[in-house]
Structure formats: structure tokens, C-alpha cells
DNA sequence: AGCTCTGTTGTTAGCGCTACCGGCAGCGCT
DNA sequence: AGCGCTGCCGGTAGCGCTAACAACAGAGCT
């Protein structure tokens, strides 16, 4: 009922204007129609200005910085805004001011709720300063990251938050050319692009190995999606392998999910692979709680004693982990803190003030529960 | 290392240009500095045009519709684009063309993965047609919807997807004034704003009651978050209440989570409330799988026999539901289909072609599993 | 009175892009 | 030859907004 044909609404006013001008113009001249383009249907700043009896500039000031205008004028303009139903056109604002008040967020996957906390905290913190967030996902395909980034840059964001520290040369080149402030998160790097809020995935995985060894496990297998576009899983694998060699002096035992999605189904598949390839395992470390949860429930269903026969551990400390029976041992990562700190650093950088400590290690915590 | 001071780069070129103009201009005139504003740091269309030896218009054509330009010219321009590292400024494009190639998506919550499937399918389908998606969340606060919508409209989206059919008058007024194509989803309404792809939450809940009655349950309690900003939960409650009265002839028995978040913890709280207020219940229907999953695991932990003593049912058919032990009876909703159909209808509307069937009922399916 | 200073408002010239038109070849037709 | 037609390309005038300045009134000072 609302719809109608929006473009149809424009014709009339323009036609009338054109007619009036034609009458005034010299007849010997070609008609020289003002060939107005499809004028926008919406209320503009100058409409509001006309309604309030002030200049467009004053309206603009009221919209952007109400305190810069005396109370009476402001009230007057605000009334006009309400009366006309004015909604500022941000595209025009961005173009004129060369600021978009917009920050892009690049995550591998949005429903994989590890990052959801980070994104939520980040966007809440930035919203308080008038920034809007737009989120893009790479679907765990690093080569996709470059495409998404390119289309992001078309929006001229004032800043970027990215999950991961591992980027293609193309991505780094784009970032360098754009000169946009960037926070990398959820990883650690000796050569960050700009700002960094994260932790060492390798150290976290090594700590988990330490925990399992402490609990008496000796044949620990790593199961994850580490060869197909999840650099964080690969880093965890590295940490695992190093720790196993150091603490147990044995060769690492791993199982890979390939390009399978991060789902509980894949977790079951991984468990099957472990039982097939490394049937003597006494513990399995998964690269994600999602995998571990799928595997854990499969064990319960099949009567495999957890942790008696097999200890299981995940990564991420999703809410699910502590609700499962048995509850799941995992690595807790401060996702919300990452988002908050990331916002803080990015705000400083966007403001142009020097950033005190541009690289922050938020750490991790091994959460020992019943599954180990 | 990337950062530097972007604004510092501009001064030189502009200064030189100003000098040249001053020499040409009449000396009696005041200097009339061209007072260039903080020129953008980035490569523009005309930079590319100069590099390729064509007009800006031709470059624009190559970017927007490569087939409208002969092969040779196109290759030439594309080489110039690559050489200069040009990234189109979408704000300028939007402003000039009055099209943003952008679609806004409004969901209550993004990590509540029911909607994740819909959003993912929707954004994939629209990306294929050159549209970008931006997502906003209302955090299950309907009054928040209006704010989010207002800031969305500032971006002048070509279309909108909203979860829910229940909107404040303010929201409806904004939508009407903007004249933007809209798809409402995940509900059903006799008076939709524009397009509609959904199903009846009430009918789905009633069907679940039917299933539980069929399995011999007589004292079914509804537990959810239906009074605090989740209209879909409220609709489900309605359907439940009607069905209970019809099929069992008893009064509905409900328990409400109030404004608590949709988490498994809240599910446990709801279970406690049920056991306290309606201790003779032989079945509990939750308004979400998340609640049901929390309650189910709590039952397992406490030794409450499911479904022997108490049958449990959820809503949404998350992946988790079929992995739990016992597996969870729930209502499956075709989230992905909703996203795909929504994209299809919206594309037609945005294209301006008449939409055949603007309201689509995608239905639902009761999935009977072990928990009932 | 003359001056500076501050607060408030208006004017102007773009931001980078695209719609709209016009011009010019080259082609096939009468 | 003259006509229209199509394909290709460029010039021009904005889209709606804001940065940068300008103008002016009134206050406070010398």
C-alpha cells in the first residue's frame, strides 16, 4: 500500500518548473529545457531551511552539532525538521565532508558466535560516538577478503576492524593505499598493519595441551579446519604441535576437516576421523567449541565415556560449553573485551590523537570442565 | 606503519594550481584564493580518465556496465584502473545516480542464529545482483527499531528486509515517507507494509501443541520471552493458548522470561519457573530452541527423565537441536528459503516490474524427535 | 567614537560521480 | 546523394551536503 511508483511522483513538479522557464526564456533560443534529472523524492536540507526561515547551513549545523546554535534557533529548526520529516542524506554528507562516520567490520563468519560478541561490543562502543558499522563476511575464504575489502573501501570507511592478522599481499596493498585506520583482532602478529587487539592462538593451544597433560593425557590429537582458510585454526595447530613435542616428546597427531563448514556435523565427522586414524587417542582438542560440542554429543549417544575413555576440549567458550553434559573444557577468549578495546584504539586513531599502546594482548584462559 | 597523516598529502598540488590562477587573474581583484577544501586523498574517476586518455564518462561506463564499451577501450581503461589503484567512491555515485545499490536488513539479533540463515541467503542472492547489505539489530527492543530505521534511511537504501510484521506507527510512517520497497519476514500479517515472506507463528505453535497432545501430553506449559519485545514469541503464545483451549479444553499455562536475553541460561531459569509454578506439567514448549536446549541439558544434569517425566520442545530447529541427547523436538522454519524468496521479491520490486505474488507463506514443519 | 572580539548567520564553491544530451563516424537503405 | 540509424564518446549540469570564508550585530574595551 505504501509503494506505488516512487519515480512517478517526480514528474509533475519538474514539468511545471520547466514550463515556467520556457515562457521566460528567449524564444529564438532553443528551448533549453533545464533537463532536471530524476529529482530525488525526499526532503532536503533546503526544504527544511525554507520551512524554518533560515539558511541551509544553519540547518546543517543543527543536525551535526546542535550546541553550536542558540536554543531558540535550534528549537525552530528542529520543529521544521519534524514537520517536514527530513532524513539527512548521508551520501551527500560523506561526499562533502570526506568523512563517512562509518566503520567496516570484516569477519570470517557472523553466525559463528565467537565473533558475535566482539562485533556487538565494538558496534555498541562506536555507536556511542556516532559511527555506524557495516559487517562483511569472508566465509573463511581469504581470497574473498580482498573483494569484500575493495567493496568496503568504496564506502570510504573512517576505520576498519578485521578478524585475523594474516592477509594476502593484495589486501595489504589495498589497506596501505587507502590509508584507513585498521584494527586487527583475534590473533597476534609481529608485523601488524596498524592497531592490534588479540592474543596468541598458538600459546592458547599450547596451554590447553599443558592442561591435558596435567590431567594425565599422553595421546592427544588435534582436530580442526586448519588447512582451508582458517589461519587461527592453523596457528592453534602450530601451538599444539610445538607443545606436544616439548611436553610429551611425541609426534603431533592431527585430523583435518578440509573445507567443511564450522558446524556440529563436521565435529562428528572429525570425531570419526580421529577414531579411525588415531584410535588410541586419549584426548582430542578441537579448533572450535562447535566441533567439540558435536563430537561430545556423538560420544554421549554412542556411549563413549567422556572423559573416562576420551577427554575432549574445544576453543572459544561458547555459552553452550558449560551447559553440555558433561560440560566442555575449552579456552575462553575475551571476545567482548576485544571489541571494546578495538573500538577504543580505533577511536583514538580516527580522532588523530596518538595511540598510547597500539598493540594489546588480551590473553586467554583455559577453562577446565568435566570433559577432561 | 601504514598510517601517516593523510591530509598532509593534499597541500602541494592545490597550492600550485592556486598560484597559476592568480597569475592569470586580474591583479586589481582581491587574490581570490580558490580555497580548495581538504581534497580527498584518493584516486578519482578523472585521474583514471587522464591516465587512459579518455573522458571520465567513459571510465564511468566501464565501471558500471563494461559491455557498453568496446573491447579495446575497455581493456585500456581497465589497465588504467589497475595502474592507478582506483576504488570508486560510492557516496558520490549514490548521490549522482540517486541509487545506492544497497539494501538494509533489520533483525532483532544477529547471533541468534535463526535469522543468520535468512540473512546469509538474502545477502548472497542480492550480492549476485550487485547489491550490498547492511545489517542493523534492534536488540529485541521495538522502540529501537525506529532509530535504527531512521539511520538506515539516511543511507537511502534501494530496499529493506525486516524481521517481523509488527511495527510502531512511527516506523510505518517512516517507511511510507521513504517509499522504499520493503520485505517483512518471519511472521504473517493481513496488513503488510509491502512485500511479505513468512509464516504464521501462531499456527506453528498450535501445530506443536497438536503434536504434544498426540503424544499423550495433557498439561502443556508455554515458556518464553513473550512480554518483552519479541512479537514472534507473543504470536506463538497466542497460537499455543488457542490450541490448548480447543484441544484440551483447559486454561493455558505460561511462564515468562521478561526482558532476559535469549540464552541457554535463561532457558534454565524458565525451566525452574515451570517446575515451581506448574509442577504437574508433562510437557514444556519453549519459544526458542536456545531456551529449550538450556532446559534440556539442565534436565539431563538433574536426572529429570525427558521425555518420560517431562517432554520438551523448542522452536527454530537449530543445528544443535538434532545433536542434543535426547534430540530436541522443535518446529523447523525454512530460514534460508525466506532469505532467498525475500531477495527474489525485493529484486522484482526494485527493478520496477510488477510482483506476481507479493505475499508468500513458506510454512513450517513440526520435527518430532526424542525429547517428546 | 573607534576599535577589537565574540557569537551568529549567510554565501560560495566544490566533494566525485552520473543523467542527459549532443556530436560524430560509419553503415545500410532508398 | 540524402536519409535515418546505430555505436561510440565527450561535455555539462547537477545530486545534497559541508568547509571555508564573509558579513554583521552587539558587547566590551580604550
Amino acid at each position: 500500500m505504501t509503494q506505488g511508483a516512487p519515480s512517478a511522483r517526480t514528474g509533475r513538479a519538474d514539468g511545471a518548473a520547466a514550463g515556467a522557464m520556457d515562457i521566460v526564456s528567449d524564444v529564438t533560443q532553443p528551448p533549453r529545457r533545464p533537463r532536471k534529472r530524476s529529482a530525488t523524492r525526499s526532503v532536503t536540507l533546503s526544504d527544511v531551511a525554507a520551512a524554518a526561515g533560515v539558511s541551509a547551513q544553519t540547518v546543517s549545523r543543527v543536525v551535526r552539532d546542535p550546541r553550536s546554535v542558540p536554543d531558540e534557533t535550534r528549537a525552530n529548526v528542529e520543529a521544521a525538521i519534524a514537520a517536514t520529516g527530513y532524513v539527512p542524506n548521508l551520501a551527500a554528507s560523506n561526499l562533502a565532508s570526506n568523512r563517512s562516520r562509518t566503520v567496516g567490520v570484516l569477519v570470517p563468519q557472523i553466525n559463528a558466535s565467537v565473533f558475535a560478541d566482539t562485533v556487538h561490543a565494538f558496534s555498541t562502543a562506536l555507536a556511542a560516538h556516532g559511527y555506524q558499522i557495516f559487517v562483511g563476511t569472508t566465509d573463511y575464504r581469504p581470497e574473498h577478503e580482498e573483494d569484500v575489502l575493495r567493496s568496503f573501501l568504496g564506502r570510504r570507511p573512517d576505520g576498519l576492524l578485521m578478524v585475523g592478522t594474516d592477509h594476502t599481499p593484495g589486501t595489504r596493498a589495498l589497506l596501505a593505499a587507502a590509508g584507513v585506520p585498521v584494527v586487527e583482532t583475534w590473533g597476534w602478529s609481529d608485523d601488524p598493519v596498524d592497531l592490534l587487539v588479540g592474543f596468541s592462538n598458538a600459546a592458547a593451544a599450547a596451554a590447553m595441551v599443558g592442561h591435558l597433560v596435567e590431567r594425565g593425557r599422553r595421546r592427544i590429537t588435534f582436530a580442526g579446519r586448519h588447512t582451508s582458510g582458517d589461519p587461527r585454526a592453523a596457528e592453534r595447530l602450530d601451538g599444539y604441535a610445538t607443545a606436544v613435542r616439548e611436553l610429551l616428546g611425541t609426534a603431533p597427531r592431527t585430523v583435518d576437516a578440509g573445507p567443511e563448514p564450522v558446524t556440529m556435523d563436521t565435529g562428528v565427522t572429525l570425531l570419526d576421523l580421529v577414531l579411525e586414524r588415531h584410535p588410541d587417542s586419549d584426548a582430542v582438542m578441537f579448533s572450535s567449541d562447535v566441533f567439540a560440542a558435536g563430537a561430545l554429543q556423538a560420544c554421549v549417544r554412542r556411549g563413549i565415556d567422556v572423559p573416562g575413555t576420551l577427554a575432549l576440549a574445544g576453543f572459544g567458550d561458547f555459552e553452550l560449553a558449560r551447559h553440555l553434559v558433561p560440560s566442555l573444557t575449552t579456552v575462553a577468549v575475551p571476545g567482548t573485551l576485544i571489541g571494546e578495546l578495538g573500538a577504543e584504539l580505533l577511536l583514538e586513531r580516527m580522532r588523530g590523537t596518538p595511540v598510547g599502546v597500539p598493540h594489546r594482548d588480551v590473553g586467554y584462559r583455559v577453562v577446565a570442565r568435566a570433559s577432561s
Side-chain angles (χ1 to χ4, degrees), chain A residues 109 139-142 222-234 237 254-263 265-271 273-274 277 286-288 291:
Chain A
Q109 209 177 0
D139 282 325
Y140 283 112
R141 299 205 313 262
F222 184 92
R225 197 210 129 116
H226 37 81
T227 58
S228 301
D230 188 347
R232 281 158 299 292
L237 170 61
T254 71
V255 146
D256 178 33
E260 293 298 311
V262 181
T263 61
D265 282 341
T266 305
V268 177
T269 307
L270 282 169
L271 176 69
L273 282 173
V274 171
R277 308 248 183 95
F286 291 88
S287 66
S288 161
F291 292 150

Side-chain angles (χ1 to χ4, degrees), chain A residues 95-128:
Chain A
L95 187 59
S97 67
N98 201 21
R99 297 190 53 208
S100 63
R101 297 203 148 274
T102 268
V103 173
V105 173
L106 256 163
V107 295
Q109 209 177 0
I110 186 58
N111 50 343
S113 43
V114 236
F115 309 123
D117 287 342
T118 298
V119 174
H120 188 256
F122 183 73
S123 97
T124 303
L126 285 182

Side-chain angles (χ1 to χ4, degrees), chain A residues 7-224:
Chain A
S7 52
R9 290 197 218 160
T10 53
R12 283 175 295 124
D14 294 352
M21 289 188 71
D22 283 351
I23 291 169
V24 174
S25 68
D26 191 342
V27 190
T28 60
Q29 297 284 333
R32 198 187 172 290
R33 290 184 286 108
R35 65 181 172 76
K36 271 265 188 213
R37 64 181 54 190
S38 62
T40 161
R41 63 260 169 190
S42 53
V43 181
T44 72
L45 254 193
S46 45
D47 294 334
V48 178
V54 297
S55 73
Q57 185 58 232
T58 301
V59 179
S60 172
R61 275 189 272 258
V62 170
V63 171
R64 277 177 301 142
D65 183 13
R67 290 165 314 174
S68 70
V69 162
D71 290 356
E72 199 185 343
T73 312
R74 185 174 62 241
N76 178 18
V77 171
E78 276 166 354
I81 288 174
T84 52
Y86 172 63
V87 177
N89 184 328
L90 297 184
S93 171
N94 297 352
L95 187 59
S97 67
N98 201 21
R99 297 190 53 208
S100 63
R101 297 203 148 274
T102 268
V103 173
V105 173
L106 256 163
V107 295
Q109 209 177 0
I110 186 58
N111 50 343
S113 43
V114 236
F115 309 123
D117 287 342
T118 298
V119 174
H120 188 256
F122 183 73
S123 97
T124 303
L126 285 182
H129 291 263
Y131 286 93
Q132 277 182 39
I133 307 300
F134 53 98
V135 181
T137 58
T138 60
D139 282 325
Y140 283 112
R141 299 205 313 262
E143 76 282 6
H144 199 190
E145 185 179 71
E146 206 170 315
D147 294 338
V148 177
L149 177 59
R150 191 180 298 276
S151 91
F152 267 34
L153 291 178
R155 293 245 139 72
R156 300 292 189 268
D158 295 337
L160 285 174
L161 179 135
M162 310 182 74
V163 167
T165 54
D166 204 44
H167 311 294
T168 63
T171 297
R172 283 180 172 264
L174 274 173
L175 290 173
V180 184
V182 179
V183 205
E184 293 167 282
T185 60
W186 279 87
W188 197 255
S189 164
D190 296 327
D191 177 30
V193 172
D194 183 13
L195 305 166
L196 175 61
V197 179
F199 60 93
S200 165
N201 283 284
M208 178 57 84
V209 173
H211 161 76
L212 291 172
V213 169
E214 206 168 88
R215 293 266 169 120
R217 307 295 161 163
R218 292 295 175 267
R219 296 179 304 280
I220 306 166
T221 302
F222 184 92

Side-chain angles (χ1 to χ4, degrees), chain A residues 270-338:
Chain A
L270 282 169
L271 176 69
D272 289 338
L273 282 173
V274 171
L275 296 178
E276 182 195 323
R277 308 248 183 95
H278 305 286
D280 60 336
S281 298
D282 58 8
V284 188
M285 270 175 66
F286 291 88
S287 66
S288 161
D289 271 6
V290 174
F291 292 150
L296 180 57
Q297 293 305 92
C299 285
V300 172
R301 184 170 292 115
R302 297 175 193 179
I304 297 173
D305 180 18
V306 175
T309 310
L310 199 61
L312 296 184
F315 199 105
D317 196 23
F318 293 19
E319 193 199 12
L320 177 63
R322 66 175 186 275
H323 283 272
L324 290 171
V325 184
S327 58
L328 181 65
T329 292
T330 186
V331 176
V333 176
T336 299
L337 179 63
I338 289 178

